[in-house]
Amino acid sequence: MDRMIATAQFGQQDIGRRLGLNVTDLTCLGFLIEASMAGEALVAGDLAERARLTTGR
């Protein structure tokens, strides 16, 4: 299980680096794409909650 998690994290870092994003930004982009495909709109608070971050206010 630890190896699988580590592989996923390294994969995220690699994808983020190729797109010029850090892992947090890549995660948030994923949530935005997922919501868009489901026809949902996300506001900052929704995105922060899903990513377990503060809204930065």
Side-chain angles (χ1 to χ4, degrees):
M1 183 61 104
D2 288 341
R3 179 174 281 164
M4 186 170 55
I5 291 169
T7 300
Q9 288 176 333
F10 287 132
Q12 284 181 321
Q13 290 172 352
D14 185 51
I15 292 168
R17 189 173 22 259
R18 290 171 189 235
L19 295 174
L21 302 171
N22 63 44
V23 173
T24 303
D25 291 342
L26 182 64
T27 299
C28 289
L29 177 60
F31 287 131
L32 291 169
I33 291 169
E34 183 180 70
S36 176
M37 292 178 71
E40 301 173 3
L42 290 183
V43 296
D46 297 330
L47 186 56
E49 184 178 318
R50 289 184 189 196
R52 297 184 182 142
L53 301 168
T54 65
T55 58
R57 288 193 230 175

